Amino acid sequence: MPEGPEIYRVAQKLSKALSNKKVLSIEFGLDRLKGWEEVLINSMITSVRSHGKAMLISTDSGYTIYSHNQLYGRWDIRLSKTAERKTNRSLRILIETSTHTARLYSASDIEVLDAIDLASHPFLSKLGPDLLDFDISENGLVKHITSGRFDRRALQHLLLDQSFLAGIGNYLRSEILFEAGLHPKTRFNNLESKQKQELAIIARKITKRALDQNGITIDYEIAENLKNEGLTKRQYRHWVFTRDGEPCRRCGSTIIHTRVGGRRLDYCPSCQPELT
Ligand SMILES: [Zn+2]
């Protein structure tokens, strides 16, 4: 499943293709949304942004198209005159402007929302601060996570809870915990206040790094060296994620694989010791 950085990159591309342009043609692939086509046609797209893993396309009609890709959704953006890519996927949204055509395939979690629905949306309204929303300060992140409501939870569950910090999925969870030197089972209220602050800072740092480095979460220099040694991106992109059985890049201990809530988590038992 794409995580915050991947969705953010798609939002940037969509924004470049659609923002401040008129909707010349719009189609929804789901019958329940067909009625919105005549409402949205000829409106201006005012903004495209992601929040966590949700995509929000707002128009001057007062309505916003919300979509969540979940496992299979995929956006395809091409110049308007270009033929549609051959695919067996189901077309779910098509938006055409004077320059580009954006198509969303396979996703089914799609809604058209007015401002009130948007503010009270059951998924969106529960989202914590987006790690890639740089209008939110580090203090803002820390204040949110130290509000008391997360205290009793273990980090391995908390980091995937989108109400804690939005945008973290499987690979970011493992990589953030490694960089913070925290064992996945550590309870949030067992952290000292300095560690909580560091966790927020590291969560943003790793997420931003993944955005800037196209999914690579290790330091740029280390990645370059490993690349020069002949490793593939899959082999060098992470500290611990999908590296179970291999030596930790920092201490040489064997990386351990576990599953939490059915989802992959890898960690270094030496760099991330369990608190006793
Ligand atoms: Zn280690």
Side-chain angles (χ1 to χ4, degrees):
M1 185 190 273
E3 303 184 22
E6 289 74 36
I7 300 290
Y8 187 92
R9 262 196 301 276
V10 176
Q12 282 182 315
K13 284 184 197 161
L14 274 175
S15 180
K16 228 172 152 183
L18 305 179
S19 286
N20 303 313
K21 291 178 190 157
K22 197 170 173 177
V23 176
L24 297 181
S25 167
I26 182 158
E27 280 175 49
F28 288 105
L30 297 166
D31 284 345
R32 64 179 167 83
L33 296 170
K34 284 275 177 207
W36 288 104
E37 292 169 356
E38 59 180 322
V39 177
L40 294 168
I41 194 145
N42 292 324
S43 62
M44 287 284 287
I45 294 168
T46 50
S47 72
V48 181
R49 63 195 190 283
S50 58
H51 189 164
K53 300 175 200 172
M55 187 72 72
L56 298 166
I57 301 174
S58 296
T59 68
D60 69 353
S61 66
Y63 293 101
T64 294
I65 303 168
Y66 156 89
S67 63
H68 192 299
N69 278 6
Q70 294 176 321
L71 273 181
Y72 305 107
R74 189 187 180 132
W75 281 98
D76 179 69
I77 304 156
R78 35 194 67 214
L79 292 169
S80 282
K81 303 271 182 280
T82 322
E84 183 181 355
R85 173 213 296 256
K86 282 207 170 89
T87 177
N88 293 325
R89 289 164 172 264
S90 320
L91 180 67
R92 292 295 161 76
I93 303 178
L94 176 149
I95 301 172
E96 188 185 357
T97 68
S98 56
T99 57
H100 291 83
T101 303
R103 295 176 177 89
L104 174 63
Y105 294 101
S106 306
S108 54
D109 190 3
I110 303 167
E111 291 172 64
V112 180
L113 306 166
D114 64 18
I116 294 167
D117 291 341
L118 193 60
S120 60
H121 188 271
F123 175 74
L124 292 171
S125 62
K126 286 198 192 88
L127 285 179
D130 188 317
L131 287 163
L132 295 172
D133 180 349
F134 300 104
D135 289 339
I136 301 169
S137 66
E138 272 168 11
N139 278 343
L141 296 178
V142 174
K143 209 173 154 191
H144 174 75
I145 66 174
T146 55
S147 62
R149 57 192 269 225
F150 304 112
D151 282 1
R152 299 167 66 85
R153 315 259 314 272
L155 298 177
Q156 60 188 10
H157 299 298
L158 212 41
L159 285 186
L160 287 191
D161 179 344
Q162 300 300 301
S163 69
F164 183 65
L165 294 167
I168 300 174
N170 295 353
Y171 84 78
L172 286 172
R173 169 172 70 172
S174 290
E175 297 294 288
I176 290 165
L177 286 174
F178 175 81
E179 187 79 30
L182 295 170
H183 190 278
K185 287 188 177 157
T186 310
R187 281 190 192 282
F188 189 69
N189 59 359
N190 286 343
L191 299 180
E192 291 167 18
S193 64
K194 194 167 184 293
Q195 286 178 302
K196 291 177 184 170
Q197 194 174 350
E198 276 170 8
L199 179 63
I201 292 168
I202 287 169
R204 170 167 279 174
K205 182 178 88 174
I206 295 290
T207 306
K208 171 80 167 49
R209 185 185 283 168
L211 172 69
D212 294 341
Q213 299 186 159
N214 208 9
I216 295 169
T217 46
I218 63 172
D219 296 287
Y220 177 78
E221 292 78 17
I222 301 174
E224 281 296 299
N225 287 339
L226 294 172
K227 194 174 165 183
N228 292 336
E229 284 171 20
L231 268 66
T232 62
K233 183 175 173 187
R234 200 183 148 79
Q235 291 169 318
Y236 69 69
R237 68 182 274 206
H238 297 312
W239 290 114
V240 289
F241 190 68
T242 65
R243 294 195 63 243
D244 52 307
E246 291 179 53
C248 171
R249 301 192 198 281
R250 288 214 173 120
C251 75
S253 300
T254 304
I255 304 295
I256 292 178
H257 169 66
T258 176
R259 291 187 88 79
V260 181
R263 295 174 65 178
R264 182 178 195 112
L265 192 159
D266 303 299
Y267 68 99
C268 171
S270 306
C271 295
Q272 300 167 257
E274 193 160 359
L275 294 178
T276 47

